[in-house]
Amino acid sequence: MTQTTPAAEPAALTGAPAQQRLPAWRLLAANPLTLASAIVLAVIVLLALLGPFISPYGINEIDVSRQLQPPSAAHWFGTDDLGRDILSRVLHAIGISLLIAVCAVTFAFLVGVAFGTVAGYAGGIVDMVISRVTDVLFAFPVLLLALAIVAIFQPGLVTTVVAIGIVYTPIFARIARGSALSVRSSPFVQVSQTMGTPARTILLRHVLPNITGPLIVQTSLSLAFAILSEAALSFLGLGIQPPTPSLGGMLFAAQGFLAQAWWMSVFPGVTILVTALAFNLIGDGLRDVLDPRQRSLIEARRSR
Amino acid sequence: MTAPILRVDELTVSIGRHDIVRGVSFAVEAGGTLGIVGESGSGKSMTVLAATGLIDAPGRRVGGSSLLAGADGTPIQLVDAPPKRLRSVHGDRVGFVFQDPSTSLNPLLTIGRQIAEPLEVHRRMTRRQAAARAVELLEAVGIPNPADRVDAYPHQLSGGQRQRAMIAIALACDPALLVADEPTTALDVTTQAQIIELVRALQHNRGTAVVWISHDLGVIGQVADEVTVLRAGRAVEQRPILDVYERPHDAYTKELLAARPRVVAGAGPTPVAGAEPLLEVRQLDVRFSISTPTGRRQIHAVDDVSFTVRRGTTTAIVGESGSGKSTVANVLTRLVEPRSGSATLGGRDVLHGPRADRRRIAMVFQDPFASLDPRRTVGDTVEEPLRVHGLAGDSTGRRARVEELLGLVDLDPGLRTRYPHELSGGQRQRVSIARALALEPELVILDEATASLDVSIQKRVLALLRRLQERSGLTFLFIAHDLAIVQEMSHDVVVMQHGRVVESAPAPELFADPREDYTRRLLEAVPPELPRAARAEW
């Protein structure tokens, strides 16, 4: 976190030499839950990157003689109905899940923030059109819309990214619009307008930097949900296509063996859980540190 | 001598490693008023909040003692008191009035309900009894038609009426002590004068002890018997108000005395004869349409306003909030589209025209906290107009110009890399002025540019503006509600009320012989030069 936080107590208030506010990341690190989830997430990302090199078996190395083996020294997470090593497949699948989540959320962020800030800043008819389109997109249940998009195109990695990305775009658009709306009426933007600064420059120099707080929080939360959405799509057979391993796909395959092979569903399931939880907790931690309302509450108490 | 209502001894407050209040003692007797003066950050609010047990800051440590006379005469210790004891005292023995009446009332409850609340809690009154009492209280604080207004919501009242309602709440239980923390700072001068009168009258009738906090020694002079001057958490001077006014001991007290806004005969800038007109505004008319639950309504914000600003001089537009004076500024800077009328600057239209023309008028806004982008450094902020209009050449040229501008407003060029939150209010306003000057404008509009600063800092910023005008022949349009600072700054004055120009005259003439009632009212509202105590003796 490199961003500076706005409106600290003026140094004069405490009568002490310039007292700088703690940087946001220090506050984050002070929260043990956030710190733990950051470490977990770092480990997950590392595993995803190293997956192809450290996995003990090939992802599609079929060995029917060793099918449905419980976890053991040779197969830490056991094997599936075709004798494939689940650990290797999970390691590979994390990478794909993260890739899809990051790409989809990046897409949603870029498109959503662009439309949202323009709508919030411009107001009037532009705002109305963009907001109504956002509302329509919002009205669809997330998964249903994703299903429709995947059904129209060929299922696959790119389609999954596009589907999740489109579904998440209105969330970013709405947040960016709301924040831009409040920044637009602030005096420092008005000053800039009176100087004749072009709208484009005001958007880039004043509006965007001042709405990063809520957007960063939403990004990390959306990453968690994107991973869940990808798992759900793959579970329904509309995301990543077998034999490429995916966490959702592995859960689907495990469905038929719930009674005989608990490890087939538990390990991919726990992976989804841990990853989504880590993103969520980091998002919560970020929100506590960056939410202007929480901050001003603390500040109001201090300045009394 | 009666026993004091509140007796505070060696009060200390520290938050974290910072000492906010370093041993302050004072006492208030029944019917007496203690004024606490100091600039922001001097710890005056903290002192009173800690003394009344209202302080609510994480990690604070409060020491010393604060004894409040109980109903039966036994003193109650308020420092480190358990919440239950504090609850029984707050609202009952101690009433509070805070600075901003628009945020200290609950917008969802009627005024009557909010006055009734302490009565029901502390006096065990029934709803009906409390409601009847609420009407009496509203009448006592001078709200017209109290029987109707008791059912009004805060947003239906004006700022002054809201503050009156706050006072009604504070006085509901006939408290022995009234704490007023900058109760008039957010109000117009005329309203301020009324609130001061009101509190004095109520105090006289009820024998309430009052602790009045302000940054303006002029206001304190109107209300207080005793003054405590706080600086950096210490009381530098603690004496009766007359002594302080006549023989201030401390250098800081002298500074505060000199800084208080007042109208002095013959004061003001040296007149500029024969200056040609620069800005000419003719028949300006602005209407806003607003949607209310009862349909769309038109507000006639500016109605047939014409005036002229002469080159190299300052013209002030004066009026209370809602008089349309800021709307005029917004029209000139093209934030608001007028319905009709014209404005020319040096003969050229300013209401229409290319973007490059907009650098001809620069504006400094009221709020030094909100008018700087919190995520841009000071240098960045001052550089923005240079960049937008392609002034001062390349990046090294711009940097040199930024440092020059910062020097011009008496800021250390080293502040270039700082962020606004690291600066004080006065420093921020200087940055705003530097940014306005960067445009090399023909006209600078100062929209209440010093209204949210402490009087001592306001004094210095005004001096800076005057010096800039003398040195570089700047033309100012100075928008304010306080006639005292207007007199200090202006060559010509335009008085506005309800969107119309009421009176417009050269400043010396207007101050010597105001023609309109409204102007006279504004003039009378400025705290006079001598404290009330001095005049009472005459």
Side-chain angles (χ1 to χ4, degrees):
Chain A
M1 289 307 306
T2 52
Q3 55 177 347
T4 49
T5 39
E9 309 179 78
L13 196 76
T14 53
Q19 167 206 19
Q20 293 215 4
R21 172 174 279 174
L22 285 173
W25 68 267
R26 289 274 299 274
L27 288 175
L28 267 185
N31 182 345
L33 210 57
T34 316
L35 189 64
S37 50
I39 293 171
V40 168
L41 209 59
V43 171
I44 291 174
V45 170
L46 203 66
L47 285 178
L49 288 176
L50 297 177
F53 310 105
I54 57 168
S55 57
Y57 301 88
I59 47 167
N60 284 317
E61 211 174 287
I62 297 172
D63 183 354
V64 188
S65 65
R66 308 185 65 101
Q67 60 163 253
L68 292 179
Q69 297 233 332
S72 63
H75 299 278
W76 291 5
F77 284 9
T79 61
D80 68 2
D81 53 332
L82 296 174
R84 292 176 294 191
D85 181 49
I86 290 182
L87 175 62
S88 308
R89 290 178 67 78
V90 165
L91 283 176
H92 197 89
I94 297 176
I96 294 176
S97 275
L98 284 181
L99 180 72
I100 290 178
V102 169
C103 290
V105 171
T106 308
F107 172 87
F109 184 95
L110 292 178
V111 179
V113 170
F115 277 103
T117 39
V118 168
Y121 184 74
I125 188 99
V126 178
D127 180 27
M128 211 173 75
V129 170
I130 294 178
S131 296
R132 287 304 89 78
V133 172
T134 316
D135 288 343
V136 170
L137 280 175
F138 253 123
F140 281 103
V142 170
L143 220 52
L144 201 68
L145 186 59
L147 280 177
I149 294 166
V150 174
I152 295 170
F153 303 102
Q154 282 288 321
L157 194 128
V158 176
T159 316
T160 315
V161 167
V162 171
I164 298 178
I166 290 179
V167 166
Y168 282 71
T169 300
I171 302 179
F172 283 96
R174 188 168 276 192
I175 289 179
R177 174 183 174 268
S179 315
L181 212 57
S182 67
V183 174
R184 175 182 70 163
S185 56
S186 59
F188 65 83
V189 169
Q190 288 189 343
V191 173
S192 211
Q193 288 171 337
T194 63
M195 298 187 312
T197 312
R200 184 169 29 90
T201 317
I202 295 183
L203 271 178
L204 290 177
R205 288 178 60 88
H206 296 300
V207 178
L208 266 185
N210 277 293
I211 63 173
T212 45
L215 287 177
I216 286 171
V217 174
Q218 186 56 44
T219 306
S220 76
L221 293 180
S222 292
L223 282 169
F225 287 110
I227 283 172
L228 293 178
S229 298
E230 183 272 322
L233 283 177
S234 298
F235 182 86
L236 295 170
L238 294 163
I240 302 305
Q241 297 301 303
T244 312
S246 72
L247 296 170
M250 291 169 76
L251 281 179
F252 178 73
Q255 220 184 4
F257 303 93
L258 274 182
Q260 299 103 304
W262 55 266
W263 53 90
M264 274 182 73
S265 53
V266 164
F267 289 112
V270 166
T271 310
I272 296 176
L273 175 85
V274 170
T275 317
L277 193 65
F279 273 122
N280 251 324
L281 288 177
I282 286 203
D284 283 351
L286 280 174
R287 176 169 51 204
D288 287 351
V289 174
L290 296 177
D291 183 0
R293 233 183 263 179
Q294 293 236 12
R295 286 231 146 184
S296 25
L297 265 181
I298 301 167
E299 275 163 18
R301 257 185 241 141
R302 286 198 173 161
S303 60
R304 266 284 145 73
Chain B
M1 266 304 178
T2 46
I5 296 292
L6 181 72
R7 165 163 223 104
V8 173
D9 269 312
E10 284 303 309
L11 190 76
T12 58
V13 181
S14 54
I15 295 178
R17 286 171 291 117
H18 302 294
D19 294 327
I20 314 284
V21 181
R22 310 157 190 236
V24 173
S25 310
F26 58 83
V28 214
E29 284 158 17
T33 302
L34 173 77
I36 299 185
V37 204
E39 51 195 37
S40 12
S42 60
K44 52 192 194 302
S45 287
M46 278 294 180
T47 304
V48 173
L49 291 176
T52 49
L54 254 193
I55 191 167
D56 180 20
R60 86 264 174 184
R61 285 191 309 280
V62 181
S65 124
S66 165
L67 293 172
L68 177 79
D72 51 1
T74 48
I76 308 170
Q77 177 60 257
L78 294 183
V79 170
D80 282 332
K84 188 155 180 252
R85 194 193 302 160
L86 288 177
R87 272 201 302 275
S88 72
V89 166
H90 290 160
D92 187 10
R93 299 290 295 159
V94 189
F96 296 91
V97 180
F98 293 110
Q99 175 172 349
D100 193 348
S102 48
T103 53
S104 28
L105 289 168
N106 184 339
L108 293 180
L109 292 180
T110 62
I111 299 296
R113 287 295 309 139
Q114 297 185 56
I115 300 176
E117 192 179 317
L119 292 168
E120 288 170 31
V121 173
H122 292 296
R123 293 282 178 267
R124 308 249 168 261
M125 281 193 185
T126 62
R127 232 166 199 251
R128 191 181 304 244
Q129 286 173 317
R133 179 95 176 95
V135 177
E136 289 171 30
L137 281 162
L138 279 185
E139 190 166 10
V141 296
I143 288 188
N145 298 330
D148 295 333
R149 300 314 269 169
V150 80
D151 293 320
Y153 287 91
H155 71 265
Q156 295 169 313
L157 304 180
S158 69
Q161 286 180 328
R162 266 180 280 197
Q163 199 60 298
R164 282 167 193 268
M166 272 306 292
I167 294 172
I169 297 172
L171 293 178
C173 292
D174 252 324
L177 176 69
L178 177 70
V179 174
D181 187 353
E182 302 260 11
T184 61
T185 307
L187 304 175
D188 283 334
V189 272
T190 42
T191 323
Q192 162 172 299
Q194 290 163 10
I195 295 288
I196 290 174
E197 278 314 310
L198 171 70
V199 171
R200 285 197 60 91
L202 291 170
Q203 180 182 27
H204 183 75
N205 294 341
R206 294 162 186 246
T208 319
V210 175
V211 175
W212 189 296
I213 304 171
S214 179
H215 64 90
D216 184 348
L217 200 47
V219 171
I220 292 291
Q222 293 310 295
V223 294
D225 311 316
E226 295 264 332
V227 188
T228 297
V229 183
L230 279 192
R231 185 176 202 187
R234 277 203 188 86
V236 294
E237 191 150 359
Q238 209 159 15
R239 283 182 314 140
I241 181 80
L242 264 182
D243 286 3
V244 170
Y245 263 68
E246 281 165 13
R247 292 175 293 276
H249 285 324
D250 194 80
Y252 181 63
T253 316
K254 285 178 195 153
E255 195 185 318
L256 283 179
L257 263 178
R260 72 189 198 276
R262 60 209 144 132
V263 176
V264 186
T270 38
V272 180
E276 54 179 311
L278 175 68
L279 174 77
E280 285 183 87
V281 176
R282 291 289 165 263
Q283 274 120 38
L284 206 60
D285 184 293
V286 184
R287 288 164 205 224
F288 297 115
S289 64
I290 52 163
S291 330
T292 60
T294 51
R296 291 181 82 75
R297 208 153 56 85
Q298 280 230 325
I299 291 190
H300 208 156
V302 175
D303 184 3
D304 190 23
V305 166
S306 307
F307 61 92
T308 305
V309 179
R310 294 177 298 141
R311 195 182 287 276
T313 67
T314 302
T315 297
I317 302 185
V318 195
E320 297 175 287
S321 26
S323 60
K325 54 193 195 305
S326 285
T327 310
V328 172
N330 288 343
V331 168
L332 292 175
T333 50
R334 288 165 67 179
L335 290 174
V336 168
E337 191 84 12
R339 196 157 166 275
S340 62
S342 70
T344 54
L345 188 67
R348 263 162 68 205
D349 189 7
V350 288
L351 301 181
H352 318 87
R355 201 167 54 76
D357 263 11
R358 298 185 67 163
R359 60 174 274 220
R360 301 174 66 207
I361 297 181
M363 180 140 151
V364 178
F365 284 68
Q366 169 174 2
D367 190 343
F369 292 82
S371 57
L372 298 180
D373 186 339
R375 290 182 190 252
R376 297 253 156 236
T377 61
V378 167
D380 243 0
T381 298
V382 179
E383 195 184 330
E384 183 177 337
L386 303 178
R387 207 190 280 263
V388 167
H389 291 283
L391 306 171
D394 59 352
S395 64
T396 45
R398 283 202 300 264
R399 191 177 148 172
R401 177 79 177 129
V402 166
E403 295 192 345
E404 185 192 335
L405 284 163
L406 290 178
L408 211 56
V409 296
D410 299 338
L411 284 178
D412 178 7
L415 289 177
R416 209 167 39 84
T417 53
R418 301 285 202 91
Y419 284 92
H421 72 258
E422 298 169 313
L423 307 182
S424 69
Q427 286 177 322
R428 288 180 208 212
Q429 207 56 309
R430 283 167 199 266
V431 173
S432 282
I433 295 169
R435 172 174 57 185
L437 295 182
L439 291 164
E440 297 162 33
E442 292 164 58
L443 175 75
V444 181
I445 301 179
L446 304 158
D447 187 358
E448 299 272 13
T450 59
S452 42
L453 302 175
D454 280 352
V455 277
S456 46
I457 295 159
Q458 166 173 298
K459 183 99 184 164
R460 277 174 244 151
V461 172
L462 291 177
L464 167 74
L465 288 170
R466 268 206 317 275
R467 210 174 59 234
L468 286 172
Q469 180 167 52
E470 277 158 25
R471 207 185 286 163
S472 353
L474 288 171
T475 310
F476 290 137
L477 183 59
F478 189 81
I479 296 176
H481 66 263
D482 187 344
L483 273 178
I485 60 171
V486 164
Q487 189 195 27
E488 201 177 326
M489 289 296 295
S490 330
H491 301 89
D492 299 284
V493 182
V494 176
V495 182
M496 280 185 74
Q497 187 188 20
H498 306 315
R500 291 173 162 277
V501 174
V502 181
E503 180 165 3
S504 128
E509 220 170 276
L510 183 116
F511 281 94
D513 178 26
R515 267 178 291 130
E516 297 293 323
D517 276 351
Y518 182 67
T519 317
R520 241 170 273 147
R521 278 221 305 284
L522 284 177
L523 265 173
E524 278 161 14
V526 177
E529 185 150 11
L530 286 169
R532 181 186 299 265
R535 284 179 296 145
E537 279 175 10
W538 290 350

